[in-house]
Short mmCIF file of all heavy atoms in Angstrom, two decimals:
data_model
loop_
_atom_site.label_atom_id
_atom_site.label_comp_id
_atom_site.label_asym_id
_atom_site.label_seq_id
_atom_site.Cartn_x
_atom_site.Cartn_y
_atom_site.Cartn_z
N THR A 3 12.39 -12.60 -10.02
CA THR A 3 11.51 -12.66 -8.86
C THR A 3 12.22 -13.38 -7.73
O THR A 3 13.02 -14.28 -7.95
CB THR A 3 10.19 -13.39 -9.19
OG1 THR A 3 10.50 -14.70 -9.63
CG2 THR A 3 9.41 -12.65 -10.25
N THR A 4 11.95 -12.96 -6.53
CA THR A 4 12.51 -13.56 -5.34
C THR A 4 11.35 -14.00 -4.47
O THR A 4 10.38 -13.28 -4.31
CB THR A 4 13.39 -12.55 -4.57
OG1 THR A 4 14.37 -12.05 -5.47
CG2 THR A 4 14.07 -13.20 -3.41
N ASN A 5 11.48 -15.18 -3.90
CA ASN A 5 10.40 -15.71 -3.09
C ASN A 5 10.66 -15.43 -1.61
O ASN A 5 11.26 -16.23 -0.92
CB ASN A 5 10.24 -17.21 -3.33
CG ASN A 5 9.02 -17.78 -2.67
OD1 ASN A 5 8.13 -17.04 -2.25
ND2 ASN A 5 8.96 -19.08 -2.56
N TYR A 6 10.25 -14.25 -1.15
CA TYR A 6 10.37 -13.89 0.26
C TYR A 6 9.05 -14.23 0.94
O TYR A 6 7.99 -13.84 0.46
CB TYR A 6 10.60 -12.39 0.44
CG TYR A 6 11.93 -11.88 -0.02
CD1 TYR A 6 12.02 -10.88 -0.98
CD2 TYR A 6 13.11 -12.36 0.53
CE1 TYR A 6 13.24 -10.38 -1.38
CE2 TYR A 6 14.34 -11.87 0.14
CZ TYR A 6 14.39 -10.88 -0.83
OH TYR A 6 15.60 -10.39 -1.22
N PRO A 7 9.08 -14.91 2.07
CA PRO A 7 7.85 -15.10 2.83
C PRO A 7 7.37 -13.74 3.37
O PRO A 7 8.15 -13.00 3.97
CB PRO A 7 8.24 -16.01 3.98
CG PRO A 7 9.56 -16.61 3.60
CD PRO A 7 10.21 -15.63 2.67
N ILE A 8 6.13 -13.41 3.11
CA ILE A 8 5.55 -12.13 3.54
C ILE A 8 4.71 -12.37 4.78
O ILE A 8 3.84 -13.23 4.81
CB ILE A 8 4.67 -11.53 2.43
CG1 ILE A 8 5.51 -11.25 1.18
CG2 ILE A 8 3.97 -10.26 2.92
CD1 ILE A 8 4.68 -10.91 -0.04
N ARG A 9 4.97 -11.59 5.81
CA ARG A 9 4.14 -11.61 7.02
C ARG A 9 3.12 -10.48 6.85
O ARG A 9 3.48 -9.30 6.81
CB ARG A 9 5.00 -11.40 8.27
CG ARG A 9 4.28 -11.55 9.58
CD ARG A 9 5.19 -11.56 10.80
NE ARG A 9 6.49 -10.90 10.69
CZ ARG A 9 7.65 -11.49 10.30
NH1 ARG A 9 7.69 -12.75 9.97
NH2 ARG A 9 8.77 -10.80 10.25
N GLU A 27 5.55 -7.34 5.85
CA GLU A 27 6.99 -7.22 6.13
C GLU A 27 7.66 -8.55 5.83
O GLU A 27 7.01 -9.60 5.82
CB GLU A 27 7.23 -6.79 7.57
CG GLU A 27 6.69 -7.74 8.61
CD GLU A 27 6.85 -7.22 10.04
OE1 GLU A 27 7.37 -6.12 10.25
OE2 GLU A 27 6.42 -7.94 10.95
N ILE A 28 8.95 -8.47 5.55
CA ILE A 28 9.74 -9.67 5.30
C ILE A 28 10.96 -9.64 6.22
O ILE A 28 11.44 -8.58 6.60
CB ILE A 28 10.16 -9.80 3.82
CG1 ILE A 28 10.93 -8.58 3.35
CG2 ILE A 28 8.94 -10.03 2.94
CD1 ILE A 28 11.46 -8.69 1.94
N ASP A 29 11.42 -10.81 6.58
CA ASP A 29 12.49 -10.92 7.57
C ASP A 29 13.79 -10.23 7.19
O ASP A 29 14.47 -9.67 8.04
CB ASP A 29 12.79 -12.39 7.88
CG ASP A 29 11.68 -13.05 8.68
OD1 ASP A 29 10.91 -12.32 9.34
OD2 ASP A 29 11.58 -14.29 8.64
N ASN A 30 14.17 -10.25 5.91
CA ASN A 30 15.47 -9.68 5.56
C ASN A 30 15.43 -8.16 5.30
O ASN A 30 16.38 -7.60 4.80
CB ASN A 30 16.11 -10.42 4.40
CG ASN A 30 15.46 -10.16 3.08
OD1 ASN A 30 14.32 -9.71 3.04
ND2 ASN A 30 16.15 -10.44 2.00
N ARG A 31 14.33 -7.52 5.68
CA ARG A 31 14.22 -6.05 5.66
C ARG A 31 13.72 -5.59 7.02
O ARG A 31 12.63 -5.03 7.14
CB ARG A 31 13.26 -5.58 4.57
CG ARG A 31 13.62 -5.98 3.15
CD ARG A 31 14.82 -5.19 2.63
NE ARG A 31 14.97 -5.28 1.20
CZ ARG A 31 15.55 -6.27 0.54
NH1 ARG A 31 15.98 -7.32 1.21
NH2 ARG A 31 15.68 -6.25 -0.76
#
Side-chain angles (χ1 to χ4, degrees):
T3 59
T4 305
N5 188 15
Y6 291 122
I8 299 169
R9 187 171 25 269
E27 60 185 0
I28 57 175
D29 288 339
N30 73 340
R31 301 288 195 278

